[in-house]
Amino acid sequence: MYSKKYRLDKIEEFNRHNPIYDDIEGSICYLAYLKVGERGWILKEDKDRFDIPHRMHTTEVTDVEYTRGNQVIVTTRNTKFTFSIVEE
């Protein structure tokens, strides 16, 4: 899971808008740490930063769902992220 590339397809915010999410839909990400009850960690590719991935942490993860369609749906206290695997 950690070396697989995912595209961030959709972000659903529950409470309030977080401006950090404005330009990241469609980004290539790596799912680094997703444990229910703890903050999640996602690495986002950022070509503007000399190929160094940008680290993002989430609020407390409440659910992680792996679908048959090669998607991962991560639900946190404030946000729901939908990722799809990038086939190379």
Side-chain angles (χ1 to χ4, degrees):
M1 173 169 109
Y2 301 115
S3 63
K4 292 182 181 177
K5 289 184 180 183
Y6 290 86
R7 177 170 288 105
L8 179 53
D9 291 329
K10 187 175 181 183
I11 300 171
E12 298 173 61
E13 297 176 282
F14 302 140
N15 302 320
R16 60 181 163 76
H17 176 63
N18 186 341
I20 198 166
Y21 300 144
D22 284 346
D23 298 320
I24 66 170
E25 279 191 10
S27 295
I28 299 299
C29 299
Y30 299 89
L31 308 181
Y33 185 77
L34 302 171
K35 184 175 180 182
V36 173
E38 296 184 20
R39 285 184 176 267
W41 286 93
I42 300 164
L43 302 176
K44 180 183 84 65
E45 284 188 357
D46 191 347
K47 299 296 182 191
D48 295 335
R49 296 184 53 173
F50 308 107
D51 294 330
I52 299 171
H54 177 73
R55 295 176 302 182
M56 300 185 326
H57 67 80
T58 70
T59 54
E60 180 181 321
V61 175
T62 59
D63 187 49
V64 180
E65 177 185 353
Y66 299 89
T67 70
R68 291 183 184 205
N70 290 326
Q71 286 187 323
V72 178
I73 301 169
V74 179
T75 306
T76 71
R77 188 174 352 123
N78 297 326
T79 311
K80 185 178 197 177
F81 302 93
T82 303
F83 298 91
S84 61
I85 196 161
V86 175
E87 301 290 339
E88 296 188 79

